[in-house]
Amino acid sequence: MAFLTYAPKVTKNLILINVIIYIATLINERFIIGSFALFYPASPFFHIWQPVTHMFVHGGFFHIFFNMYALLMFGSAVEQIIGQKKFLTLYMVCGLGAAGLHLAVQAISGGSSIPCVGASGAIYGVILTYAILFPDSRMTLLFPPVTLTARKMVIVFLVIEVLTGVFGSGYVLNISDGIAHFAHIGGMLFGFLLVKYWKFRGTLFDRG
């Protein structure tokens, strides 16, 4: 994986772990999903470790490809600014926050039998942090090819996730697009709160 040569340590290791678990999923999908995806707590398949492990499991090639591409692009920049320990803390807090909000919304809506997988919640938190650190940097979407500042792009992402979370997850309309939109929102929310806490304490840039 030559493209990881210059990636900072935590970002590189997170990508490697995700890739290894994806390969394991290809070998034995039933075991990996059944054991490590995030199931609703009332499900017989739920285990206490799943709020952590679900963020390292992916449901397909494009799922992991786009997540790892975003992690490499934005995670590398954020890790270089705030340091390894803080970046790992940020990533895990965002992933756990994503799981927490996802489960909370499921509880309000009566539960679900569909497991949640993917690093998207954690990565949305990383992207939001990137936008806080580099608000005027330019970001270009692939589809559609629109270029905006990081600050504006994150606002667009948030609005889209809220709207699709409400109307595209079966909570208002009796249909679902199969995407855990509230997990994405949870990752962004907890990333925002953690960065604001570090800034309030004056420790965001101490690289601790």
Side-chain angles (χ1 to χ4, degrees), residues 1-13:
M1 294 186 179
F3 61 91
L4 291 179
T5 302
Y6 300 105
K9 183 177 181 179
V10 175
T11 299
K12 180 189 301 182
N13 286 332

Side-chain angles (χ1 to χ4, degrees), residues 1 13-27 32 56 64 68:
M1 294 186 179
N13 286 332
L14 286 172
I15 292 174
L16 289 173
I17 292 169
N18 276 278
V19 170
I20 290 169
I21 294 179
Y22 176 67
I23 293 172
T25 305
L26 295 177
I27 296 171
I32 297 297
F56 298 98
I64 189 172
M68 295 304 100

Side-chain angles (χ1 to χ4, degrees), residues 66-87:
F66 286 112
N67 274 349
M68 295 304 100
Y69 177 78
L71 178 57
L72 180 63
M73 294 297 101
F74 299 105
S76 295
V78 172
E79 182 179 347
Q80 288 171 347
I81 294 296
I82 68 175
Q84 295 177 4
K85 292 181 180 179
K86 273 197 172 63
F87 180 71

Side-chain angles (χ1 to χ4, degrees), residues 108-129:
I108 293 171
S109 63
S112 173
S113 61
I114 301 174
C116 177
V117 297
S120 302
I123 291 169
Y124 266 72
V126 170
I127 293 174
L128 181 136
T129 303

